[in-house]
Amino acid sequence: MTYYTALQLTKEPFSTSPDPAFFFRSVEHSMALNRLEISIRLQRGLSLVLGDVGTGKTTLSRTLFQAFSREEEQYVFHMVLDPDFKSEYQFLSHLTKLFGVAPFFRSVVDHRDAIEKYLFQKGIEENKTVVLVIDEGQKLSLPALEILRTLLNYETNEQKLLQLVIMGQLELLAKVNKIRNFMDRVSLKYILNPLGEAETGEMIRFRLKQAGYEEAVHLFTREAVKKIYDHTQGYPRQIALLCHKAMEYLMMNDRAVVTGDIIAELIIQERQWK
């Protein structure tokens, strides 16, 4: 028996998988999502979202997909999860396959021409908006960034034919600054910061509610939330990991509420492994 079934929950509330159903809309995350959606709908071109590990960038990208899921006839979404490609040709080859273009090309120029034709077909002939979301953008090589800069040149008098969203860690900024005129093409720049203490508690309650928790009593005391925040500094992934351990502790030790003492004990255990 898992702890969430023992507590009459329908799902695991503190999984670190990027499930949009558990996307906590903090002030910052809501702002990022709304501005991304506006940028895509207005076909502004390039959006750049930066944040440390565990700030929720991947879940944000999946939630962005979901926001357009009912408009599949108008928007065509593609996603690159790991852009760690060894060569310019390898990156272009991956993009042509991702876009569903016949992959039998022999050169970099062939791939570029095929992608250009694809974007014009979708954007002009079919009147669709092509969106490419790249996660882990800090892994992009300089040649790959140069390719993306070139793709952003494909446009009509009114709009960019490719809507590009790059999500990455802060070190990506140093890379893009090395590409001439790259930052000039960025229509949206946003940095995701960790949650505050109050939002940490709100995130915990939100995830429990999404997982089916209906009891009036809060499972996490105020002291527990404070200790969670102090230890995690508001990083959503770290919050979820610590809360998962706390819920397991409840079941294994026949406790009803997560207290500050429980969190303190779990933190000590965690530090012993480091």
Side-chain angles (χ1 to χ4, degrees):
M1 178 185 293
T2 58
Y3 73 72
Y4 61 89
T5 54
L7 293 168
Q8 297 183 334
L9 301 176
T10 57
K11 293 182 179 180
E12 157 67 77
F14 298 112
S15 170
T16 55
S17 298
D19 185 349
F22 289 90
F23 177 67
F24 174 62
R25 294 173 184 257
S26 70
V27 172
E28 288 220 2
H29 288 79
S30 292
M31 180 69 73
L33 182 62
N34 290 339
R35 291 185 64 184
L36 283 170
E37 191 170 341
I38 290 171
S39 180
I40 290 170
R41 292 188 185 281
L42 294 180
Q43 298 177 303
R44 297 296 303 276
L46 175 59
S47 298
L48 195 62
V49 179
L50 304 178
D52 284 335
V53 175
T55 48
K57 299 183 297 298
T58 300
T59 310
L60 173 63
S61 67
R62 303 296 174 84
T63 306
L64 181 66
F65 270 52
Q66 190 180 68
F68 288 88
S69 61
R70 296 181 180 179
E71 303 175 65
E72 292 181 354
E73 294 183 359
Q74 177 64 40
Y75 295 92
V76 182
F77 269 78
H78 303 283
M79 188 168 191
V80 177
L81 296 174
D82 185 1
D84 186 16
F85 297 98
K86 304 304 180 184
S87 68
E88 186 179 16
Y89 181 86
Q90 191 181 66
F91 182 45
L92 280 167
S93 177
H94 181 81
L95 290 180
T96 53
K97 291 177 182 178
L98 189 68
F99 293 156
V101 180
F104 303 108
F105 305 114
R106 294 184 178 182
S107 70
V108 166
V109 174
D110 288 340
H111 282 287
R112 282 182 175 170
D113 288 346
I115 291 173
E116 182 178 7
K117 289 177 182 177
Y118 167 80
L119 293 175
F120 271 92
Q121 178 187 337
K122 292 295 180 183
I124 306 302
E125 297 175 15
E126 300 180 23
N127 195 30
K128 293 185 177 183
T129 301
V130 178
V131 185
L132 175 62
V133 179
I134 298 180
D135 200 8
E136 301 290 345
Q138 73 280 354
K139 295 182 179 181
L140 285 164
S141 64
L142 293 181
L145 285 169
E146 182 61 43
I147 287 170
L148 294 174
R149 187 190 69 80
T150 301
L151 296 184
L152 289 167
N153 289 334
Y154 302 150
E155 58 188 339
T156 66
N157 291 334
E158 296 82 25
Q159 68 196 50
K160 298 283 187 180
L161 293 178
L162 176 66
Q163 306 310 307
L164 177 62
V165 179
I166 305 178
M167 302 204 178
Q169 296 172 26
L170 296 172
E171 56 261 36
L172 172 62
L173 194 57
K175 281 189 175 182
V176 298
N177 281 327
K178 293 179 180 179
I179 304 297
R180 185 179 179 183
N181 299 328
F182 193 92
M183 287 300 291
D184 294 343
R185 288 168 167 76
V186 181
S187 65
L188 168 61
K189 306 168 190 173
Y190 200 93
I191 295 179
L192 275 180
N193 291 304
L195 309 180
E197 183 177 333
E199 286 189 320
T200 296
E202 291 170 11
M203 173 187 160
I204 293 169
R205 289 189 288 274
F206 166 77
R207 282 192 162 229
L208 285 168
K209 182 178 179 181
Q210 289 297 98
Y213 185 71
E214 298 178 348
E215 298 296 328
V217 177
H218 291 310
L219 276 181
F220 289 74
T221 67
R222 289 184 179 180
E223 184 185 5
V225 171
K226 176 171 174 46
K227 286 187 179 296
I228 291 169
Y229 171 73
D230 289 343
H231 182 66
T232 65
Q233 291 298 292
Y235 283 83
R237 185 183 301 170
Q238 295 303 316
I239 294 169
L241 287 169
L242 187 51
C243 287
H244 173 78
K245 294 176 183 176
M247 297 287 280
E248 285 185 328
Y249 187 101
L250 289 187
M251 187 182 75
M252 294 175 65
N253 294 276
D254 197 25
R255 298 282 291 273
V257 177
V258 178
T259 63
D261 291 341
I262 290 174
I263 297 300
E265 182 178 338
L266 292 172
I267 291 171
I268 291 172
Q269 292 176 5
E270 182 179 311
R271 286 172 176 165
Q272 288 174 344
W273 286 94
K274 292 182 179 180

